Amino acid sequence: MAENNQQPPVSEQLPANAKLFSILAYISVLWLLGLLIKPEKYSAFVKSHVNNGIVLCICAAICACIPFLGWLCEIPVVVFIVMGIIAAAKTQYFTLPWFLGNIKIVK
C-alpha cells in the first residue's frame, strides 16, 4: 500500500502570503523568496515547503547532468513537485517520499 504523505490542513496562524510562497518554493530557484521575505521566512509551514523545494531542485540538477538515464529520473522529481504544489495549495504539510523526506536543509 502506498503511504499517505499528506497531513491535515495547518492550524497555525499563517502570514498573508504563506500559501503563495509555499507554492513558489517548488518552482526552480523561487524557493529563495520564501527564505528572504519577512514574515514568511519565519513560518514553519513555508520553511517546510522551501526545504522540499531545495531538495527537489538539487535532485533535478543532479539528474540533468546524467545523459538519458537522468531524464528518466526527472519523472519522479516532476511528480513530487506537482504533489508538493497541490499540498501547499491545500495548506497542508508535505513530506517527500523515499529518502528525500529525511533531508533537512532549512531548519
Side-chain angles (χ1 to χ4, degrees):
M1 281 260 127
E3 181 180 318
N4 186 3
N5 291 328
Q6 306 281 336
Q7 285 94 23
V10 177
S11 60
E12 68 181 85
Q13 181 65 30
L14 295 175
N17 292 325
K19 187 187 281 190
L20 171 68
F21 288 114
S22 297
I23 292 170
L24 290 177
Y26 292 98
I27 302 171
S28 189
V29 294
L30 292 179
W31 49 263
L32 279 169
L33 295 174
L35 283 180
L36 301 176
I37 297 178
K38 296 179 185 176
E40 283 76 11
K41 71 179 185 178
Y42 300 115
S43 169
F45 176 71
V46 174
K47 283 182 183 179
S48 169
H49 286 285
V50 166
N51 186 71
N52 291 345
I54 294 171
V55 170
L56 291 173
C57 190
I58 291 170
C59 288
I62 291 170
C63 290
C65 295
I66 304 170
F68 186 68
L69 189 59
W71 300 337
L72 293 175
C73 295
E74 286 282 343
I75 295 171
V77 172
V78 171
V79 169
F80 297 156
I81 289 171
V82 171
M83 290 170 62
I85 289 173
I86 290 171
K90 291 181 178 179
T91 326
Q92 295 177 337
Y93 283 93
F94 177 67
T95 304
L96 292 171
W98 303 336
F99 64 92
L100 298 174
N102 296 329
I103 301 172
K104 298 292 180 218
I105 297 172
V106 179
K107 296 188 184 197

